[in-house]
Amino acid sequence: MMSLVMTSYFCGGSSCFHVHACQRAPLLYPSHVPVYIICFYKSFAMADFSSSFDMPSASLSENAEAAELQRLIAVEQQKAQFQAQVHNFTDVCWDKCMDKPSSKLDSRTETCLVSCVERFIDTTLTITNRFTQMVQKGAH
Amino acid sequence: MDSFGSDFSSGSSSGKMDTGTIMEQVKVQIAVANAQELLQRMTDKCFKKCIGKPGSTLDNSEQKCIAMCMDRYMDAWNTVSRAYNSRLQRERARI
């Protein structure tokens, strides 16, 4: 099932070792800084424990610490990606659903916002599936 | 883009940084960036909604409109967040 976070982790599957890989992030998340920050921290976590000049090789506890750090960072990254999506959806659905700003969010507008999110996701899935089919057909 | 915060060298001879400290910094910086993102988008939307022809100052009606708009934007953000969250949970339950 296609990930609902519409762009995959931009560092590609496993890790991003270099900060300039993280600088490609703005292409995917033009104004969302947290994902960029997480990539930086991830590459820091990877680099720190694999390229230290003082120690001949990373000890077991350092590897465990690095793994734990990566896991924690991955959790934060997921949260940040979720919030980036919420920002995008709110942006789009605000234009669709809000007329004049009033003193309270009435139920009609709230229903519209919820539907907007659902239909936007459905649209994304529809486009992805159909595009996949088109590409597969084109491959013959 | 401003610096990512404190310099990463620790005082200890091992050169390692404490996992807890790193995660604290990560969370704080993410929260700050998230707030900046929210404000940037909110400003964009509320300017479009509330300011017609820009005058020499923000008059009272414009200021009230901006205040209401901010509240509504945050309400909308929360609604969208809940809707997206439930959709994700529904999709995960299907797998």
Side-chain angles (χ1 to χ4, degrees):
Chain A
M1 141 83 201
M2 171 74 185
S3 164
L4 288 178
V5 178
M6 286 178 273
T7 55
S8 57
Y9 176 33
F10 63 89
C11 290
S14 48
S15 57
C16 58
F17 286 92
H18 307 290
V19 173
H20 54 254
C22 302
Q23 286 167 348
R24 276 188 268 119
L27 295 176
L28 294 171
Y29 293 89
S31 53
H32 196 70
V33 173
V35 182
Y36 179 103
I37 288 175
I38 288 176
C39 185
F40 179 84
Y41 276 104
K42 265 203 104 170
S43 50
F44 164 75
M46 301 289 292
D48 188 46
F49 294 108
S50 62
S51 65
S52 98
F53 296 105
D54 296 319
M55 301 162 209
S57 60
S59 71
L60 204 60
S61 71
E62 276 177 2
N63 280 333
E65 237 182 273
E68 175 65 9
L69 190 61
Q70 277 187 51
R71 192 190 63 81
L72 290 172
I73 287 177
V75 167
E76 292 304 314
Q77 170 166 31
Q78 267 207 322
K79 287 188 204 165
Q81 281 178 330
F82 175 86
Q83 299 203 316
Q85 285 296 23
V86 175
H87 282 303
N88 285 331
F89 292 154
T90 309
D91 201 303
V92 168
C93 295
W94 174 274
D95 292 336
K96 283 264 180 228
C97 294
M98 293 298 283
D99 330 296
K100 283 266 154 255
S102 56
S103 50
K104 203 172 103 64
L105 206 66
D106 65 9
S107 60
R108 199 168 57 102
T109 314
E110 195 153 336
T111 313
C112 177
L113 287 169
V114 173
S115 306
C116 174
V117 172
E118 298 278 342
R119 300 294 79 74
F120 192 94
I121 293 173
D122 292 340
T123 308
T124 309
L125 293 174
T126 304
I127 289 177
T128 310
N129 290 335
R130 183 151 191 277
F131 187 75
T132 310
Q133 288 172 15
M134 286 166 67
V135 165
Q136 284 174 347
K137 277 200 206 127
H140 291 152
Chain B
M1 162 116 131
D2 56 346
S3 82
F4 288 114
S6 58
D7 119 75
F8 288 122
S9 63
S10 74
S12 73
S13 55
S14 72
K16 282 188 301 186
M17 242 187 119
D18 174 39
T19 300
T21 313
I22 293 176
M23 287 317 294
E24 260 176 61
Q25 283 188 350
V26 169
K27 286 178 188 171
V28 163
Q29 289 180 354
I30 288 173
V32 166
N34 191 45
Q36 282 179 338
E37 179 81 12
L38 181 70
L39 287 179
Q40 191 190 319
R41 302 219 192 199
M42 186 193 280
T43 306
D44 185 62
K45 295 300 179 195
C46 293
F47 184 83
K48 285 194 181 119
K49 277 255 183 274
C50 292
I51 317 293
K53 211 82 169 97
S56 54
T57 56
L58 285 178
D59 63 29
N60 265 331
S61 65
E62 286 170 337
Q63 297 217 14
K64 275 204 206 127
C65 178
I66 290 170
M68 275 201 307
C69 176
M70 283 176 67
D71 291 340
R72 299 293 73 73
Y73 192 85
M74 287 190 278
D75 290 341
W77 200 95
N78 287 331
T79 303
V80 168
S81 178
R82 281 191 301 262
Y84 185 41
N85 196 32
S86 22
R87 176 63 184 258
L88 282 178
Q89 289 184 343
R90 238 179 300 139
E91 295 290 345
R92 275 193 207 123
R94 276 176 44 191
I95 299 173

